């Protein structure tokens, strides 16, 4: 069956008459009849019973309809895309981010970007870095954000902003003259909030502590840095978090100090090596970089 045959066949299956299919497809009734006859001639069998101007599908038609339904949906999607391109509609930008960046950086970045791209469709999703790599390689996203360089041969990692791992504690933990000064692993005390096994940033923190002869004990273990931040804000303990999460914490509830020795953390823009960014996507990446740097400056204030 040709694509035109499938389109006409599905229209008839949905409305049940030649005239109705002609209206749906915006073509003449003789054209619908001709295409249907040609389709049945090619298949070597009638697909419908004709009764008083109405078409009743035979069992073969129902089976054919089920098998060609996805193809017909894809065809309609292609037609809508072609119409959008002809009408100069703006493309869809698909962005995937780790949860930390999505919460701490993206809202400000999207707000700034929307001023210049008010009509662009942007789809946002969150994944962990390993899933992000697969999403980019499969062409299911245009750009992505992560605090890790996956070091994958098919992925380009572009640094956008850099900060330091930061210790957060409930207000009142440190004196005013201690704020802003680095805190060594020995200074981690009280209820420590840690991360699940194999968390990349959590492993960096543990390694830094052990290098100083300190073996931290985490009685509270969480999956995301946002949960750790919320626990600290509620007075539930002390945590070492990425600089973007630290900067987005409520200043009236937490105190912050850089961890010593310093652990630099980069925000990376990830793209597939074979897929250059469109103008709109590149501008979005620039807005994300600006918002990330502004977030870090706020965290230092």
């Amino acid at each position: 069956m040709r694509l035109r045959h499938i389109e006409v066949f599905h229209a008839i299956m949905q409305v049940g008459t030649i005239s109705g299919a002609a209206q749906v497809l915006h073509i003449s009734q003789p054209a619908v009849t001709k295409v249907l006859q040609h389709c049945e001639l090619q298949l070597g069998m009638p697909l419908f019973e004709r009764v008083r101007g109405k078409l009743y599908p035979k069992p073969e038609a129902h089976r054919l309809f089920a098998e060609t339904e996805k193809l017909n949906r894809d065809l309609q999607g292609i037609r809508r895309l072609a119409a959008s391109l002809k009408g100069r509609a703006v493309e869809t930008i698909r962005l995937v981010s780790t949860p930390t960046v999505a919460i701490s950086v993206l809202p400000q970045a999207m707000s700034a970007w929307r001023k210049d791209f008010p009509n662009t469709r942007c789809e946002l999703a969150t994944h962990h870095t390993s899933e992000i790599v697969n999403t980019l390689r499969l062409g299911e996203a245009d750009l992505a954000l992560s605090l890790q360089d996956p070091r994958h041969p098919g992925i380009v990692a572009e640094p956008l902003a850099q900060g330091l791992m930061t210790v957060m504690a409930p207000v009142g933990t440190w004196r005013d003259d201690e704020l802003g000064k680095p805190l060594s692993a020995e200074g981690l005390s009280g209820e420590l909030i840690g991360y699940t096994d194999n968390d990349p940033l959590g492993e960096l923190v543990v390694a830094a502590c052990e290098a100083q002869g300190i073996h931290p004990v985490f009685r509270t273990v969480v999956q995301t840095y946002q949960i750790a931040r919320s626990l600290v804000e509620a007075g539930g303990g002390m945590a070492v978090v990425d600089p973007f999460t630290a900067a987005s914490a409520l200043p009236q509830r937490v105190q912050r100090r850089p961890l010593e020795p310093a652990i630099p953390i980069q925000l990376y823009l990830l793209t597939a090596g074979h897929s250059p960014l469109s103008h709109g996507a590149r501008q979005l990446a620039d807005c994300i970089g600006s918002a990330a740097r502004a977030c870090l400056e706020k965290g230092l204030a």
Side-chain angles (χ1 to χ4, degrees), residues 12-123:
I12 295 174
M13 287 290 290
Q14 290 168 348
V15 299
T17 63
I18 295 291
S19 60
Q23 291 179 354
V24 169
L25 298 173
H26 304 290
I27 59 177
S28 66
Q29 292 185 38
V32 173
T33 300
K34 183 177 179 180
V35 171
L36 177 59
Q37 289 173 344
H38 190 263
C39 176
E40 291 180 323
L41 183 63
Q42 272 197 330
L43 293 172
M45 69 180 77
L47 294 173
F48 299 92
E49 294 279 359
R50 277 82 168 169
V51 180
R52 291 191 293 275
K54 192 168 178 65
L55 301 178
Y56 293 90
K58 292 190 170 186
E60 294 84 357
H62 284 292
R63 290 185 61 187
L64 191 62
F65 182 80
E67 291 296 326
T68 59
E69 189 171 12
K70 182 180 185 303
L71 183 59
N72 185 64
R73 287 200 305 269
D74 292 342
L75 176 61
Q76 298 307 318
I78 292 170
R79 290 188 182 280
R80 286 193 294 270
L81 174 59
S84 296
L85 294 175
K86 184 178 179 181
R88 297 182 180 273
V90 185
E91 88 276 32
T92 295
I93 296 175
R94 299 164 302 169
L95 170 62
V96 183
S97 171
T98 54
T100 291
V101 182
I103 292 175
S104 59
V105 175
L106 277 188
Q108 292 76 19
M110 286 295 299
S111 179
W113 179 74
R114 273 285 171 220
K115 295 176 182 177
D116 293 324
F117 295 85
N119 299 316
T120 302
R121 177 181 171 86
C122 185
E123 298 176 356

Side-chain angles (χ1 to χ4, degrees), residues 128 148 195-204 222-225:
H128 294 296
Q148 302 170 57
Y195 305 102
T196 53
D197 293 340
N198 300 322
D199 179 86
L201 300 191
E203 289 180 347
L204 288 177
V222 298
Q223 285 189 317
T224 69
Y225 313 128

Side-chain angles (χ1 to χ4, degrees), residues 108 151 250:
Q108 292 76 19
R151 302 188 183 280
L250 297 174

Side-chain angles (χ1 to χ4, degrees), residues 56-57 66 78 101 109 116 149 169 188 226 231 256 274:
Y56 293 90
I78 292 170
V101 182
D116 293 324
D149 179 352
L188 298 176
Q226 296 77 33
L231 288 173
R256 296 174 296 219
H274 60 274

Side-chain angles (χ1 to χ4, degrees), residues 98-240:
T98 54
T100 291
V101 182
I103 292 175
S104 59
V105 175
L106 277 188
Q108 292 76 19
M110 286 295 299
S111 179
W113 179 74
R114 273 285 171 220
K115 295 176 182 177
D116 293 324
F117 295 85
N119 299 316
T120 302
R121 177 181 171 86
C122 185
E123 298 176 356
L124 304 176
T126 59
H127 286 302
H128 294 296
T129 301
S130 59
E131 297 168 312
I132 285 176
V133 169
N134 291 331
T135 299
L136 289 171
R137 291 182 61 212
L138 293 172
E140 296 173 350
D142 302 303
L143 67 164
L145 300 168
S146 175
L147 298 181
Q148 302 170 57
D149 179 352
R151 302 188 183 280
H152 189 283
I155 302 297
V156 177
E158 176 187 337
L160 294 180
Q162 177 178 293
L164 300 174
M165 288 294 282
T166 303
V167 184
M168 289 200 318
V171 166
T173 301
W174 302 305
R175 302 187 310 271
D176 289 345
D177 63 328
E178 294 176 314
L179 299 179
K181 295 180 181 179
L183 182 73
S184 67
E186 191 176 3
L188 298 176
S189 60
E191 183 68 31
L192 295 182
I193 300 166
Y195 305 102
T196 53
D197 293 340
N198 300 322
D199 179 86
L201 300 191
E203 289 180 347
L204 288 177
V205 172
V206 171
C209 290
E210 291 179 345
Q212 300 176 58
I214 303 298
H215 300 276
V217 176
F218 303 107
R219 285 187 290 271
T220 301
V221 177
V222 298
Q223 285 189 317
T224 69
Y225 313 128
Q226 296 77 33
I227 296 176
R229 182 201 67 193
S230 297
L231 288 173
V232 176
E233 288 176 338
M238 183 181 294
V240 183

